[in-house]
């Protein structure tokens, strides 16, 4: 991205197709967050202090979260096409595309019931199966690409002299990085820190896409 492009991006007039594609990623992230939080608050036995949001893909109502992952992922992939049209730089669109693909894959590969959720599931961790490994790999792709997209945006905004946007990009990416590392380390409340980081990074990508429209 050039300094001139980033500085002018929010006020640039986009063609209808590009605006529609950008709208996909604008909508994808709050949609995924909203559907996830509604389920987290209403599904019996779910505790965000102990269960990752991915666990919502298990049980009788697991199809809701599976669909949530797939729909949000497809919208993100479409949004990446819009970002490619709206930005001269290649890395942010590519990283957002990887994030969308990772989300779709995370919906396809479902974690095994564990840690008491859904109700009736074994307490504690269970022996991992190949779908578990597939889900973890998909999550890694989604998280790493999202973190990288935020950091690339931070660098580009800084070069453009947009300090506030650069700082927000850096904060969003770091929130996800720290949240993910803490969760992977088994730290207390790791599922919450991960969720907060995911929400922050996703919200920022949606905000940038909304400005580019």
């Amino acid at each position: 991205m050039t300094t001139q492009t980033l500085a002018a991006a929010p006020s640039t007039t986009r063609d209808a197709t590009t605006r529609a594609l950008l709208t996909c990623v604008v909508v994808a992230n709050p949609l995924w967050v909203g559907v996830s939080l509604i389920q987290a608050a209403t599904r019996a036995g779910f505790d965000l202090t102990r269960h990752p949001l991915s666990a919502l893909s298990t049980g009788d109502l697991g199809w809701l979260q599976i669909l949530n992952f797939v729909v949000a992922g497809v919208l993100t992939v479409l949004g990446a096409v819009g970002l490619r049209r709206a930005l001269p730089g290649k890395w942010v669109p590519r990283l957002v595309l990887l994030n969308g693909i990772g989300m779709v894959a995370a919906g396809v590969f479902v974690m095994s019931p564990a840690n008491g959720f859904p109700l009736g599931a074994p307490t504690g961790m269970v022996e991992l199966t190949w779908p578990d490994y597939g889900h973890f790999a998909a999550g890694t792709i989604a998280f790493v690409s999202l973190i990288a997209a935020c950091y690339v945006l931070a660098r580009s905004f800084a070069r453009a002299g947009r300090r506030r946007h650069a700082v927000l990009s850096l904060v969003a990416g770091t929130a996800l990085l720290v949240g993910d590392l803490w969760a992977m380390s088994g730290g207390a409340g790791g599922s919450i820190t991960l969720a907060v980081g995911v929400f922050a990074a996703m919200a920022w990508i949606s905000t940038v896409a909304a400005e580019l429209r």
Side-chain angles (χ1 to χ4, degrees):
M1 300 177 208
T2 64
T3 300
Q4 293 82 359
T5 301
L6 267 176
S11 61
T12 301
T13 302
R14 304 298 181 193
D15 64 78
T17 301
T18 301
R19 289 198 301 271
L21 290 169
L22 288 170
T23 299
C24 289
V25 74
V26 172
V27 171
N29 295 334
L31 172 67
W32 188 87
V33 171
V35 173
S36 296
L37 288 180
I38 290 172
Q39 293 183 84
T42 58
R43 289 191 61 182
F46 186 85
D47 183 356
L48 189 55
T49 65
R50 298 188 301 118
H51 304 128
L53 292 172
S54 293
L56 292 167
S57 295
T58 62
D60 293 340
L61 295 176
W63 64 271
L64 287 171
Q65 188 67 345
I66 293 172
L67 186 62
N68 190 27
F69 269 113
V70 174
V71 170
V74 170
L75 289 173
T76 300
V77 169
L78 293 173
V81 178
L83 290 171
R84 182 66 186 90
R85 291 179 173 215
L87 297 171
K90 297 179 179 180
W91 278 109
V92 171
R94 287 174 176 173
L95 291 166
V96 172
L97 175 64
L98 279 176
N99 174 245
I101 293 172
M103 291 184 70
V104 172
V108 172
F109 297 103
V110 178
M111 294 174 59
S112 300
N115 203 21
F117 184 82
L119 293 178
T123 57
M125 299 304 295
V126 298
E127 184 177 352
L128 297 179
T129 62
W130 68 265
D132 290 310
Y133 288 112
H135 185 85
F136 295 149
T140 299
I141 291 171
F143 294 155
V144 170
S145 58
L146 191 55
I147 293 167
C150 289
Y151 284 157
V152 172
L153 282 170
R155 181 182 180 185
S156 299
F157 281 127
R159 287 181 171 181
R162 302 182 68 186
R163 292 186 177 181
R164 179 175 178 274
H165 280 60
V167 170
L168 289 174
S169 298
L170 187 61
V171 168
T174 302
L176 177 51
L177 176 61
V178 172
D180 187 30
L181 291 176
W182 183 251
M184 290 176 62
S185 72
S191 55
I192 292 181
T193 62
L194 176 58
V196 170
V198 171
F199 296 167
M202 293 178 79
W204 182 239
I205 295 298
S206 286
T207 299
V208 171
E211 289 190 359
L212 286 171
R213 291 182 74 253

